[in-house]
Amino acid sequence: MIAYKEIYQLKRVDNNDFPAIKELFWKVFKKKVTLKYLQNKYNTSYVGVNYICSIAYCDDIPVAFYGAVPQKFKNNDREIYVAHACDSYTLPNHQRKGLHNALAKFAYEIMKEHDMKYVYAFHSANTYRSTKKLGWKEHENLQRFHININTFPIGKVLNKFRWTNIYDAFFKQKVSPEAIKKLTSAHPEKYRLKFDKNFIDYKNSFKSHYCVEIEGCIFWLKIQAIIHVGKFYAPSAEALQKAIKKLKRKAFFSGITELLFQVDQDSTMAAQLQTIAQPKESWLVGYLDFDPEIDLKDFIFTYSDLDTF
């Protein structure tokens, strides 16, 4: 724990801080989030590193939080740690006091201690502005592909009332070792998030995900009003076209109005999707590197890398 401007105490998050983080989330956003959700999201013990976040207190009252999760990326030759910055919020009365920057720099030191090669984020307008002051760099924008389905929007109703467990009856959650192998077969020479059973179990601890296999293609997705495809495998563009037709049919009868893909513009997935729909610009990937030898041109990012996926 360190003092900041004499009235704040900055510390590395531990399990005892999650009630405070939940309280802070409610005060800032006026949205409820469960303690279990927060604890599971930040419990990244499956990668061997836990809690690379920082929190600020003022007289024992939580006033600001900087959240990040460690991830393992791998290529054919090695595995490395990176950090995904995902949450940052400060009580209005304590904004414009430099707390965000102080907490971020405090968290960066924790990341360096654990040999994280860089910290990155899928930028919103707010994160883009705030990271500029911290010396972040720009990589590339992801591409998004929207495939619309004309059906009654039951999915939006189910999502509003949080009845999404109904999809468990129609979509399977289990991802077979063969499916995992195919989902990780593209771009072996580049660094990609290590997608394995441990990662899948981690993601399912705070959101439900499904695996759909059609026409030799595999889709790993979540359903939240619409179908969000985190990553997919297709042996060819033709196979993908056939599979998406059948996936649209499943969506039609489930009351789902859209398939959304967000992919790295340099990926095989992007090239295959471009034969079906026109891409639109999505999030800019921003980063701060701690290792000068790291070049993000050697990395492939996917929608499923996102903390909230």
Side-chain angles (χ1 to χ4, degrees):
M1 185 178 290
I2 63 169
Y4 175 69
K5 291 191 173 180
E6 298 183 354
I7 61 170
Y8 298 108
Q9 295 78 45
L10 313 186
K11 69 181 290 282
R12 181 177 182 174
V13 164
D14 61 41
N15 195 49
N16 295 322
D17 292 304
F18 285 100
I21 296 169
K22 179 186 174 185
E23 174 190 334
L24 190 55
F25 190 91
W26 167 252
K27 286 180 177 178
V28 173
F29 299 113
K30 293 297 183 283
K31 292 181 180 178
K32 289 184 179 179
V33 63
T34 68
L35 196 59
K36 182 180 178 182
Y37 171 86
L38 289 169
Q39 288 173 325
N40 288 356
K41 176 178 174 177
Y42 286 102
N43 178 9
T44 53
S45 54
Y46 79 100
V47 295
V49 180
N50 232 4
Y51 308 142
I52 57 171
C53 317
S54 52
I55 189 169
Y57 288 91
C58 180
D59 295 329
D60 296 325
I61 296 170
V63 295
F65 172 69
Y66 186 89
V69 291
Q71 297 175 334
K72 271 188 182 177
F73 274 65
K74 69 183 292 292
N75 63 12
N76 266 346
D77 301 319
R78 64 188 287 219
E79 293 183 1
I80 61 171
Y81 280 116
V82 306
H84 175 36
C86 45
D87 292 313
S88 178
Y89 31 91
T90 303
L91 288 180
N93 291 345
H94 297 271
Q95 293 175 4
R96 303 186 183 281
K97 299 180 186 295
L99 271 174
H100 170 79
N101 283 16
L103 283 175
K105 290 175 181 177
F106 186 86
Y108 299 163
E109 293 306 312
I110 298 169
M111 295 169 192
K112 291 175 190 176
E113 287 174 15
H114 291 283
D115 198 27
M116 307 274 154
K117 299 301 182 183
Y118 63 87
V119 55
Y120 78 99
F122 297 131
H123 275 322
S124 65
N126 287 338
T127 62
Y128 181 78
R129 286 194 298 270
S130 65
T131 56
K132 275 292 185 185
K133 298 177 182 178
L134 291 161
W136 278 46
K137 303 173 184 178
E138 297 177 12
H139 176 48
E140 295 176 343
N141 289 83
L142 296 186
Q143 290 183 335
R144 56 189 167 91
F145 295 80
H146 299 264
I147 298 175
N148 295 321
I149 301 142
N150 292 321
T151 188
F152 189 77
I154 298 170
K156 292 180 180 179
V157 176
L158 295 176
N159 188 64
K160 181 179 180 180
F161 291 101
R162 299 183 181 179
W163 294 339
T164 51
N165 287 346
I166 194 171
Y167 296 120
D168 295 355
F170 304 99
F171 297 90
K172 69 175 185 177
Q173 285 193 319
K174 182 176 173 58
V175 187
S176 70
E178 293 78 15
I180 292 174
K181 187 175 180 180
K182 288 181 178 179
L183 286 167
T184 56
S185 61
H187 310 288
E189 77 288 354
K190 294 204 173 188
Y191 285 102
R192 302 148 294 157
L193 190 142
K194 187 176 180 181
F195 185 84
D196 58 11
K197 183 180 182 301
N198 290 334
F199 174 76
I200 293 165
D201 289 345
Y202 160 72
K203 283 288 191 177
N204 283 335
S205 71
F206 55 94
K207 282 188 183 292
S208 291
H209 301 83
Y210 303 100
C211 184
V212 177
E213 300 185 39
I214 313 173
E215 291 288 337
C217 301
I218 300 165
F219 302 88
W220 193 64
L221 54 87
K222 70 173 184 178
I223 305 174
Q224 197 169 319
I226 64 172
I227 285 179
H228 303 257
V229 180
K231 63 192 304 169
F232 69 87
Y233 161 82
S236 67
E238 293 75 20
L240 179 63
Q241 292 161 17
K242 292 177 182 177
I244 284 182
K245 283 182 181 178
K246 292 187 176 180
L247 185 56
K248 285 176 67 177
R249 197 173 304 147
K250 274 180 172 281
F252 176 87
F253 289 110
S254 302
I256 294 165
T257 58
E258 184 182 344
L259 310 179
L260 174 61
F261 297 80
Q262 307 215 53
V263 298
D264 195 303
Q265 60 182 271
D266 299 317
S267 67
T268 299
M269 292 187 293
Q272 291 174 332
L273 284 166
Q274 284 167 14
T275 68
I276 299 169
Q278 282 293 111
K280 295 182 179 180
E281 192 173 85
S282 184
W283 299 296
L284 171 67
V285 178
Y287 70 102
L288 180 66
D289 51 326
F290 306 133
D291 184 335
E293 294 183 3
I294 289 298
D295 186 343
L296 261 69
K297 290 181 180 177
D298 297 327
F299 287 73
I300 290 286
F301 295 95
T302 71
Y303 194 4
S304 56
D305 301 348
L306 183 68
D307 66 297
T308 56
F309 187 86

